[in-house]
């Protein structure tokens, strides 16, 4: 299974997302982005570490890091390896005294740990093909990265796929990433049939 190295591009929220955040991963050597909808607690845990803000007491992911280190283990990398029915799955790959240990995790928790350990983040190529958003190679800001141009259809009547593509573009422009993710999943199901 091919692993694509990613980095965190940013976190974003939308008033219509019900308190959820979009964690945007960016392909290190490419132009694809992967939005993953995560909860506010995990978003806070990631943001605090990215901003190098230390709370007065250890948060859950800080405690997990300390526990991992106390068992002579270290996180090597995390791997978002599967997307099933709109849910992302990840593995935390650790080295414990020379032995490789793989643990199942939610991507948000795995990434919160990865930023604490300075570990690499990988996504399987199949997940990136299915759920990724291709952008212009020079896109550098979150807004630019998610501004996907969809050509206007030549004919007057729009097909179902064209309607969904237009709705996806509008959702991304409105920064409604939860809606965009649902539309993207519907497009994938439609293409599979």
């Amino acid at each position: 299974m091919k692993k694509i190295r990613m980095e965190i591009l940013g976190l974003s929220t939308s008033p219509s997302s019900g308190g959820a955040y979009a964690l945007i991963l960016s392909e290190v050597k490419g132009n694809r982005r992967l939005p993953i909808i995560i909860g506010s607690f995990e978003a806070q845990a990631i943001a605090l570490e990215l901003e190098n803000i230390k709370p007065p007491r250890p948060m859950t992911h800080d405690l997990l890091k300390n526990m991992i280190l106390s068992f002579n283990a270290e996180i090597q990398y995390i791997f978002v390896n599967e997307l099933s029915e709109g849910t992302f799955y990840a593995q935390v790959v650790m080295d414990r005294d020379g032995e490789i240990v793989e643990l199942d995790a939610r991507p948000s928790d795995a990434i919160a740990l990865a930023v604490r350990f300075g570990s690499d983040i990988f996504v399987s190529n199949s997940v990136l093909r299915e759920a990724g958003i291709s952008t212009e190679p020079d896109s550098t800001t979150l807004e630019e990265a998610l501004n996907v141009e969809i050509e206007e259809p030549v004919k007057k009547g729009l097909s179902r796929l064209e309607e969904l593509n237009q709705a996806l573009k509008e959702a991304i422009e409105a920064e409604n990433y939860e809606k965009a993710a649902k539309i993207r999943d519907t497009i994938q199901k439609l293409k599979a049939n």
Side-chain angles (χ1 to χ4, degrees):
M1 186 178 303
K2 187 174 179 186
K3 296 179 175 93
I4 308 296
R5 189 163 175 249
M6 308 290 282
E7 60 188 3
I8 297 172
L9 181 63
L11 285 161
S12 182
T13 187
S14 172
S16 61
S17 67
Y21 287 77
L23 170 66
I24 312 299
L25 299 178
S26 174
E27 190 175 15
V28 171
K29 293 185 179 178
N31 62 347
R32 294 179 289 180
R33 310 292 187 253
L34 182 66
I36 301 176
I37 305 303
I38 65 174
S40 59
F41 175 75
E42 293 80 8
Q44 179 186 29
I46 293 168
L48 286 174
E49 191 65 25
L50 289 175
E51 296 295 323
N52 205 23
I53 298 170
K54 300 295 179 201
R57 301 289 300 142
M59 294 182 65
T60 304
H61 296 97
D62 300 316
L63 174 63
L64 285 171
K65 177 186 177 184
N66 293 336
M67 289 177 67
I68 290 167
L69 291 172
S70 73
F71 287 106
N72 294 322
E74 188 162 323
I75 294 177
Q76 297 299 303
Y77 63 91
I78 68 110
F79 181 39
V80 180
N81 61 333
E82 187 179 344
L83 175 61
S84 177
E85 297 179 17
T87 302
F88 291 95
Y89 294 83
Q91 291 178 321
V92 176
V93 180
M94 297 187 301
D95 180 336
R96 183 182 62 207
D97 293 328
E99 175 188 0
I100 299 299
V101 177
E102 297 177 0
L103 299 173
D104 183 38
R106 297 183 307 170
S108 56
D109 290 324
I111 291 170
L113 285 171
V115 296
R116 281 161 174 75
F117 277 90
S119 305
D120 288 333
I121 300 168
F122 292 97
V123 174
S124 80
N125 195 43
S126 61
V127 168
L128 204 49
R129 269 197 323 269
E130 184 176 344
I133 299 170
S134 184
T135 63
E136 292 300 317
D138 295 334
S139 295
T140 55
T141 67
L142 182 60
E143 292 77 17
E144 290 171 338
L146 294 173
N147 186 15
V148 179
E149 292 295 325
I150 299 172
E151 294 180 24
E152 289 296 319
V154 176
K155 57 187 179 178
K156 297 225 182 217
L158 297 177
S159 70
R160 176 72 177 139
L161 184 58
E162 291 167 329
E163 289 175 1
L164 287 170
N165 279 328
Q166 183 62 33
L168 177 62
K169 179 182 176 185
E170 291 169 5
I172 291 170
E173 287 173 353
E175 296 185 3
N176 186 344
Y177 304 119
E178 186 173 12
K179 182 178 179 182
K182 289 177 184 176
I183 294 170
R184 177 203 61 216
D185 294 343
T186 304
I187 290 171
Q188 292 299 325
K189 288 177 187 174
L190 191 60
K191 285 182 178 178
N193 292 335

